[in-house]
Amino acid sequence: MIVMVERPWGYFAVLEDAPTHKVKRIAVYEGQRLSLQSHEKRAETWVFTKGDGLVTIDGTDRVVMAKSLIKIPMGAKHRVKNIGQGHLEFIEVQTGEYFGEDDIYRYEDDYGRSDGTTNARS
C-alpha cells in the first residue's frame, strides 16, 4: 500500500524502501520549493516526469523539465522549486547507508523548519 505524505510544499509517496535504497515519487505545488538541505548518509538522483523546475546544488542553479536527470552527491546543499504551471513531479532514488527522514539538515526553509538542527520533516 502506497501512502501519500502531505507537506506544505506538496506531497510524496514512498514507492520502495529497501536496505540498499529508497524510491519516492515527489510532487511540488506551483510556486513552492523544498528547503535548502543536505544529507550526510545518502546521495539522491532525481528523474523529472512533469513540469518545470529550478534545481540548486551547492549554489549552482539549473532549469529542469520532464526527462531531466539530476544527481545530488552526499553532503551537497540542494533544493528544487516549481517554476512552471501545475505540479512539478519527479522520482527520487536515494542510495547510501541510511534513508531515514532524520538525515536532513536544513539551511533555509520557507515554512519555518530551518533551525540549524537535523529535522525529521522534509
Side-chain angles (χ1 to χ4, degrees):
M1 176 182 204
I2 297 174
V3 176
M4 302 299 279
V5 178
E6 293 285 332
R7 293 292 186 244
W9 46 260
Y11 55 89
F12 70 88
V14 176
L15 305 178
E16 186 170 353
D17 193 356
T20 58
H21 63 278
K22 182 184 269 190
V23 180
K24 291 182 178 180
R25 182 177 58 235
I26 299 174
V28 182
Y29 298 139
E30 191 173 317
Q32 301 301 305
R33 65 184 180 172
L34 279 63
S35 58
L36 180 63
Q37 60 188 261
S38 66
H39 311 288
E40 292 181 10
K41 299 178 182 177
R42 69 177 184 249
E44 296 175 344
T45 300
W46 293 348
V47 180
F48 290 85
T49 57
K50 180 180 175 185
D52 299 310
L54 180 67
V55 173
T56 303
I57 302 175
D58 287 334
T60 300
D61 293 335
R62 178 175 168 192
V63 174
V64 296
M65 59 195 76
K67 300 181 183 176
S68 295
L69 182 135
I70 297 288
K71 293 187 178 232
I72 303 164
M74 197 177 302
K77 288 183 184 179
H78 63 281
R79 77 174 351 150
V80 62
K81 179 179 182 176
N82 182 343
I83 60 171
Q85 295 181 337
H87 292 170
L88 172 67
E89 297 179 3
F90 60 99
I91 302 297
E92 175 182 273
V93 179
Q94 302 173 4
T95 55
E97 60 188 68
Y98 178 72
F99 311 110
E101 292 296 308
D102 57 343
D103 182 30
I104 300 171
Y105 188 92
R106 285 193 178 79
Y107 302 91
E108 296 175 6
D109 183 75
D110 296 342
Y111 314 101
R113 301 174 301 164
S114 60
D115 59 1
T117 62
T118 301
N119 192 322
R121 293 173 295 173
S122 64

PDB file of all heavy atoms in Angstrom, residues 1-19:
ATOM      1  N   MET A   1       0.844  -1.186   0.000  1.00  0.00           N
ATOM      2  CA  MET A   1       0.000   0.000   0.000  1.00  0.00           C
ATOM      3  C   MET A   1       0.888   1.248   0.000  1.00  0.00           C
ATOM      4  O   MET A   1       1.763   1.395   0.835  1.00  0.00           O
ATOM      5  CB  MET A   1      -0.909  -0.013   1.227  1.00  0.00           C
ATOM      6  CG  MET A   1      -1.736   1.210   1.362  1.00  0.00           C
ATOM      7  SD  MET A   1      -2.719   1.119   2.857  1.00  0.00           S
ATOM      8  CE  MET A   1      -4.007   2.202   2.413  1.00  0.00           C
ATOM      9  N   ILE A   2       0.655   2.142  -0.940  1.00  0.00           N
ATOM     10  CA  ILE A   2       1.421   3.375  -1.029  1.00  0.00           C
ATOM     11  C   ILE A   2       0.653   4.483  -0.307  1.00  0.00           C
ATOM     12  O   ILE A   2      -0.529   4.707  -0.576  1.00  0.00           O
ATOM     13  CB  ILE A   2       1.671   3.756  -2.503  1.00  0.00           C
ATOM     14  CG1 ILE A   2       2.521   2.675  -3.175  1.00  0.00           C
ATOM     15  CG2 ILE A   2       2.330   5.119  -2.599  1.00  0.00           C
ATOM     16  CD1 ILE A   2       2.709   2.867  -4.653  1.00  0.00           C
ATOM     17  N   VAL A   3       1.343   5.165   0.591  1.00  0.00           N
ATOM     18  CA  VAL A   3       0.728   6.232   1.375  1.00  0.00           C
ATOM     19  C   VAL A   3       1.312   7.567   0.933  1.00  0.00           C
ATOM     20  O   VAL A   3       2.529   7.717   0.829  1.00  0.00           O
ATOM     21  CB  VAL A   3       0.995   6.010   2.889  1.00  0.00           C
ATOM     22  CG1 VAL A   3       0.440   7.159   3.706  1.00  0.00           C
ATOM     23  CG2 VAL A   3       0.405   4.684   3.340  1.00  0.00           C
ATOM     24  N   MET A   4       0.426   8.532   0.674  1.00  0.00           N
ATOM     25  CA  MET A   4       0.853   9.881   0.324  1.00  0.00           C
ATOM     26  C   MET A   4       1.093  10.652   1.621  1.00  0.00           C
ATOM     27  O   MET A   4       0.260  10.625   2.520  1.00  0.00           O
ATOM     28  CB  MET A   4      -0.213  10.596  -0.501  1.00  0.00           C
ATOM     29  CG  MET A   4      -0.574   9.876  -1.789  1.00  0.00           C
ATOM     30  SD  MET A   4       0.797   9.686  -2.919  1.00  0.00           S
ATOM     31  CE  MET A   4       0.806  11.274  -3.673  1.00  0.00           C
ATOM     32  N   VAL A   5       2.240  11.342   1.698  1.00  0.00           N
ATOM     33  CA  VAL A   5       2.579  12.146   2.866  1.00  0.00           C
ATOM     34  C   VAL A   5       2.529  13.612   2.450  1.00  0.00           C
ATOM     35  O   VAL A   5       3.259  14.030   1.553  1.00  0.00           O
ATOM     36  CB  VAL A   5       3.985  11.772   3.397  1.00  0.00           C
ATOM     37  CG1 VAL A   5       4.349  12.645   4.588  1.00  0.00           C
ATOM     38  CG2 VAL A   5       4.047  10.297   3.759  1.00  0.00           C
ATOM     39  N   GLU A   6       1.654  14.375   3.072  1.00  0.00           N
ATOM     40  CA  GLU A   6       1.490  15.798   2.759  1.00  0.00           C
ATOM     41  C   GLU A   6       2.560  16.631   3.442  1.00  0.00           C
ATOM     42  O   GLU A   6       2.935  16.364   4.579  1.00  0.00           O
ATOM     43  CB  GLU A   6       0.113  16.286   3.213  1.00  0.00           C
ATOM     44  CG  GLU A   6      -1.039  15.698   2.445  1.00  0.00           C
ATOM     45  CD  GLU A   6      -1.197  16.285   1.056  1.00  0.00           C
ATOM     46  OE1 GLU A   6      -0.814  17.457   0.837  1.00  0.00           O
ATOM     47  OE2 GLU A   6      -1.699  15.553   0.182  1.00  0.00           O
ATOM     48  N   ARG A   7       3.029  17.631   2.732  1.00  0.00           N
ATOM     49  CA  ARG A   7       3.961  18.627   3.237  1.00  0.00           C
ATOM     50  C   ARG A   7       3.452  19.996   2.796  1.00  0.00           C
ATOM     51  O   ARG A   7       2.625  20.078   1.879  1.00  0.00           O
ATOM     52  CB  ARG A   7       5.380  18.383   2.692  1.00  0.00           C
ATOM     53  CG  ARG A   7       6.023  17.102   3.198  1.00  0.00           C
ATOM     54  CD  ARG A   7       6.321  17.207   4.680  1.00  0.00           C
ATOM     55  NE  ARG A   7       7.064  16.063   5.160  1.00  0.00           N
ATOM     56  CZ  ARG A   7       6.613  15.191   6.043  1.00  0.00           C
ATOM     57  NH1 ARG A   7       5.402  15.322   6.526  1.00  0.00           N
ATOM     58  NH2 ARG A   7       7.369  14.198   6.453  1.00  0.00           N
ATOM     59  N   PRO A   8       3.956  21.086   3.372  1.00  0.00           N
ATOM     60  CA  PRO A   8       3.464  22.407   2.952  1.00  0.00           C
ATOM     61  C   PRO A   8       3.781  22.724   1.490  1.00  0.00           C
ATOM     62  O   PRO A   8       3.066  23.481   0.846  1.00  0.00           O
ATOM     63  CB  PRO A   8       4.171  23.392   3.880  1.00  0.00           C
ATOM     64  CG  PRO A   8       4.996  22.620   4.823  1.00  0.00           C
ATOM     65  CD  PRO A   8       4.876  21.159   4.493  1.00  0.00           C
ATOM     66  N   TRP A   9       4.827  22.130   0.943  1.00  0.00           N
ATOM     67  CA  TRP A   9       5.259  22.386  -0.431  1.00  0.00           C
ATOM     68  C   TRP A   9       4.627  21.450  -1.449  1.00  0.00           C
ATOM     69  O   TRP A   9       4.742  21.649  -2.655  1.00  0.00           O
ATOM     70  CB  TRP A   9       6.782  22.305  -0.542  1.00  0.00           C
ATOM     71  CG  TRP A   9       7.381  21.111   0.156  1.00  0.00           C
ATOM     72  CD1 TRP A   9       7.979  21.112   1.385  1.00  0.00           C
ATOM     73  CD2 TRP A   9       7.442  19.763  -0.315  1.00  0.00           C
ATOM     74  NE1 TRP A   9       8.403  19.841   1.707  1.00  0.00           N
ATOM     75  CE2 TRP A   9       8.090  18.992   0.672  1.00  0.00           C
ATOM     76  CE3 TRP A   9       7.023  19.133  -1.479  1.00  0.00           C
ATOM     77  CZ2 TRP A   9       8.321  17.626   0.544  1.00  0.00           C
ATOM     78  CZ3 TRP A   9       7.244  17.765  -1.620  1.00  0.00           C
ATOM     79  CH2 TRP A   9       7.887  17.033  -0.611  1.00  0.00           C
ATOM     80  N   GLY A  10       3.993  20.365  -0.989  1.00  0.00           N
ATOM     81  CA  GLY A  10       3.429  19.365  -1.887  1.00  0.00           C
ATOM     82  C   GLY A  10       3.224  18.051  -1.167  1.00  0.00           C
ATOM     83  O   GLY A  10       2.742  18.023  -0.037  1.00  0.00           O
ATOM     84  N   TYR A  11       3.638  16.963  -1.785  1.00  0.00           N
ATOM     85  CA  TYR A  11       3.475  15.651  -1.157  1.00  0.00           C
ATOM     86  C   TYR A  11       4.459  14.657  -1.759  1.00  0.00           C
ATOM     87  O   TYR A  11       5.056  14.901  -2.804  1.00  0.00           O
ATOM     88  CB  TYR A  11       2.045  15.132  -1.316  1.00  0.00           C
ATOM     89  CG  TYR A  11       1.558  15.074  -2.738  1.00  0.00           C
ATOM     90  CD1 TYR A  11       1.756  13.943  -3.526  1.00  0.00           C
ATOM     91  CD2 TYR A  11       0.887  16.148  -3.308  1.00  0.00           C
ATOM     92  CE1 TYR A  11       1.321  13.883  -4.832  1.00  0.00           C
ATOM     93  CE2 TYR A  11       0.439  16.103  -4.622  1.00  0.00           C
ATOM     94  CZ  TYR A  11       0.650  14.968  -5.372  1.00  0.00           C
ATOM     95  OH  TYR A  11       0.218  14.911  -6.668  1.00  0.00           O
ATOM     96  N   PHE A  12       4.639  13.527  -1.066  1.00  0.00           N
ATOM     97  CA  PHE A  12       5.462  12.447  -1.602  1.00  0.00           C
ATOM     98  C   PHE A  12       4.869  11.110  -1.204  1.00  0.00           C
ATOM     99  O   PHE A  12       4.073  11.009  -0.269  1.00  0.00           O
ATOM    100  CB  PHE A  12       6.924  12.559  -1.153  1.00  0.00           C
ATOM    101  CG  PHE A  12       7.177  12.279   0.297  1.00  0.00           C
ATOM    102  CD1 PHE A  12       7.415  10.987   0.753  1.00  0.00           C
ATOM    103  CD2 PHE A  12       7.213  13.309   1.227  1.00  0.00           C
ATOM    104  CE1 PHE A  12       7.663  10.723   2.085  1.00  0.00           C
ATOM    105  CE2 PHE A  12       7.467  13.061   2.565  1.00  0.00           C
ATOM    106  CZ  PHE A  12       7.695  11.758   2.998  1.00  0.00           C
ATOM    107  N   ALA A  13       5.272  10.086  -1.941  1.00  0.00           N
ATOM    108  CA  ALA A  13       4.905   8.709  -1.624  1.00  0.00           C
ATOM    109  C   ALA A  13       6.160   7.859  -1.718  1.00  0.00           C
ATOM    110  O   ALA A  13       6.950   8.012  -2.648  1.00  0.00           O
ATOM    111  CB  ALA A  13       3.858   8.192  -2.599  1.00  0.00           C
ATOM    112  N   VAL A  14       6.370   6.991  -0.752  1.00  0.00           N
ATOM    113  CA  VAL A  14       7.491   6.051  -0.801  1.00  0.00           C
ATOM    114  C   VAL A  14       7.041   4.855  -1.631  1.00  0.00           C
ATOM    115  O   VAL A  14       6.083   4.164  -1.282  1.00  0.00           O
ATOM    116  CB  VAL A  14       7.928   5.622   0.615  1.00  0.00           C
ATOM    117  CG1 VAL A  14       9.035   4.578   0.536  1.00  0.00           C
ATOM    118  CG2 VAL A  14       8.379   6.829   1.435  1.00  0.00           C
ATOM    119  N   LEU A  15       7.732   4.630  -2.736  1.00  0.00           N
ATOM    120  CA  LEU A  15       7.402   3.527  -3.633  1.00  0.00           C
ATOM    121  C   LEU A  15       8.133   2.249  -3.265  1.00  0.00           C
ATOM    122  O   LEU A  15       7.638   1.145  -3.496  1.00  0.00           O
ATOM    123  CB  LEU A  15       7.731   3.907  -5.081  1.00  0.00           C
ATOM    124  CG  LEU A  15       7.078   5.193  -5.593  1.00  0.00           C
ATOM    125  CD1 LEU A  15       7.536   5.482  -7.020  1.00  0.00           C
ATOM    126  CD2 LEU A  15       5.570   5.113  -5.496  1.00  0.00           C
ATOM    127  N   GLU A  16       9.345   2.408  -2.718  1.00  0.00           N
ATOM    128  CA  GLU A  16      10.141   1.252  -2.294  1.00  0.00           C
ATOM    129  C   GLU A  16      11.095   1.696  -1.200  1.00  0.00           C
ATOM    130  O   GLU A  16      11.699   2.763  -1.285  1.00  0.00           O
ATOM    131  CB  GLU A  16      10.923   0.676  -3.472  1.00  0.00           C
ATOM    132  CG  GLU A  16      11.652  -0.597  -3.121  1.00  0.00           C
ATOM    133  CD  GLU A  16      12.219  -1.304  -4.348  1.00  0.00           C
ATOM    134  OE1 GLU A  16      11.942  -0.891  -5.478  1.00  0.00           O
ATOM    135  OE2 GLU A  16      12.953  -2.277  -4.145  1.00  0.00           O
ATOM    136  N   ASP A  17      11.216   0.872  -0.170  1.00  0.00           N
ATOM    137  CA  ASP A  17      12.129   1.155   0.950  1.00  0.00           C
ATOM    138  C   ASP A  17      12.893  -0.135   1.259  1.00  0.00           C
ATOM    139  O   ASP A  17      12.341  -1.058   1.836  1.00  0.00           O
ATOM    140  CB  ASP A  17      11.338   1.625   2.166  1.00  0.00           C
ATOM    141  CG  ASP A  17      12.218   2.227   3.250  1.00  0.00           C
ATOM    142  OD1 ASP A  17      13.456   2.207   3.102  1.00  0.00           O
ATOM    143  OD2 ASP A  17      11.661   2.722   4.245  1.00  0.00           O
ATOM    144  N   ALA A  18      14.142  -0.195   0.804  1.00  0.00           N
ATOM    145  CA  ALA A  18      14.958  -1.394   0.932  1.00  0.00           C
ATOM    146  C   ALA A  18      16.238  -1.063   1.690  1.00  0.00           C
ATOM    147  O   ALA A  18      16.573   0.110   1.857  1.00  0.00           O
ATOM    148  CB  ALA A  18      15.291  -1.937  -0.459  1.00  0.00           C
ATOM    149  N   PRO A  19      16.988  -2.050   2.148  1.00  0.00           N
ATOM    150  CA  PRO A  19      18.239  -1.776   2.859  1.00  0.00           C
ATOM    151  C   PRO A  19      19.280  -1.048   2.007  1.00  0.00           C
ATOM    152  O   PRO A  19      20.134  -0.345   2.537  1.00  0.00           O
ATOM    153  CB  PRO A  19      18.740  -3.174   3.235  1.00  0.00           C
ATOM    154  CG  PRO A  19      17.529  -4.042   3.243  1.00  0.00           C
ATOM    155  CD  PRO A  19      16.633  -3.473   2.182  1.00  0.00           C
TER     156      PRO A  19
END
